[in-house]
Amino acid sequence: MTVRFIGAGPGAADLVTVRGQRAIEAAPVCLFAGSLVPRELLESCPPGARLVDTARMALGEIVAEMVAAHRAGHDVARLHSGDPSVFSAMAEQMRRLDAEGVPYEVVPGVPAFAAAAASLRRELTVPGVGQTIVLTRTSVRATPMPEGEDLGTLGRSRATMVLHLAVQRIGEVAAELVPNYGADCPVAVVARASRDDEVILRGTLADIAEQVRRAGILRTAVIVVGRVLTASEFPDSHLYSAARCRD
């Protein structure tokens, strides 16, 4: 049978893909991170499905559940918040499933940064302002960052930067980015993007840390840094230009 890693989206239950929804509906075993995956999605599981909250489970325990289900002849829906290609710890699960000979597939989902951009009503690639997005995080209690991926190095391009898992140290993040981006660089923090309790903060590298502190945001937030957040004077893209050859 097959394990399907499914992107459950950023929080709103209706932001799962049709393919993901169908996979959930067909799987007699569903593993999910209880603190991040919307409970409404679990209502799509078949009657009597085994539901396993992995929020407090270690990697070995999670993989053991999937291996046991496979050997019992059951498909598995493994739900990850956002899109599993980014900061999901999917790679280490795949590595262990490979060792056990368990087949798997990946169903993409809506990533948190895309939901945050939608809430902000901003395009993150604006002609003449920013055409590159850096997706990254910082090290606190998480795995250390590889050499050369510190914020000072990544910020040299002054590309639009999106940080996950970093809001708890927003003050340090801002301080590390100021030398490259400037204290007046626009910043937005979107907590719980797409959910009913979503919070949006807008400011600059100079004042965003204080805003976050006052709002009491400690987790489940995306930080967006870059001039694209406030850009209004920019050239139209070539995509829809009347001068573009469409033959």
Side-chain angles (χ1 to χ4, degrees), residues 1-2 9-10 13 23 28 44 46 61 70 78 82 89 104 107 120 123 129 141 154 158 203 208 239:
M1 307 306 291
T2 302
S44 301
E61 297 172 300
H70 167 72
R78 173 60 170 126
Y104 51 81
V107 180
L120 293 167
E123 180 178 352
V129 180
R141 291 178 296 177
L154 295 177
R158 293 188 292 279
I208 196 64
L239 180 63

Side-chain angles (χ1 to χ4, degrees), residues 105-227:
E105 300 174 357
V106 180
V107 180
V110 177
F113 80 87
S119 295
L120 293 167
R121 293 183 293 179
R122 303 301 303 190
E123 180 178 352
L124 299 184
T125 52
V126 176
V129 180
Q131 293 285 285
T132 302
I133 302 170
V134 176
L135 297 176
T136 190
R137 63 169 180 81
T138 62
S139 296
V140 184
R141 291 178 296 177
T143 309
M145 295 294 285
E147 183 178 354
E149 293 190 15
D150 58 280
L151 296 184
T153 300
L154 295 177
R156 289 174 187 167
S157 67
R158 293 188 292 279
T160 302
M161 186 174 290
V162 178
L163 295 105
H164 295 247
L165 309 171
V167 76
Q168 287 184 324
R169 59 182 303 266
I170 183 68
E172 293 93 329
V173 167
E176 291 177 48
L177 293 179
V178 163
N180 287 311
Y181 288 83
D184 65 339
C185 184
V187 182
V189 172
V190 183
R192 301 177 293 277
S194 82
R195 304 184 191 187
D196 292 338
D197 58 348
E198 174 184 270
V199 176
I200 298 175
L201 303 176
R202 292 180 172 88
T204 66
L205 286 175
D207 63 25
I208 196 64
E210 179 59 20
Q211 289 194 51
V212 169
R213 186 192 66 78
R214 290 199 306 266
I217 297 173
L218 298 174
R219 55 186 298 184
T220 323
V222 173
I223 305 168
V224 185
V225 182
R227 303 287 172 181

Side-chain angles (χ1 to χ4, degrees), residues 27-29 45-51:
V29 178
C45 294
R50 176 171 170 75
L51 306 180

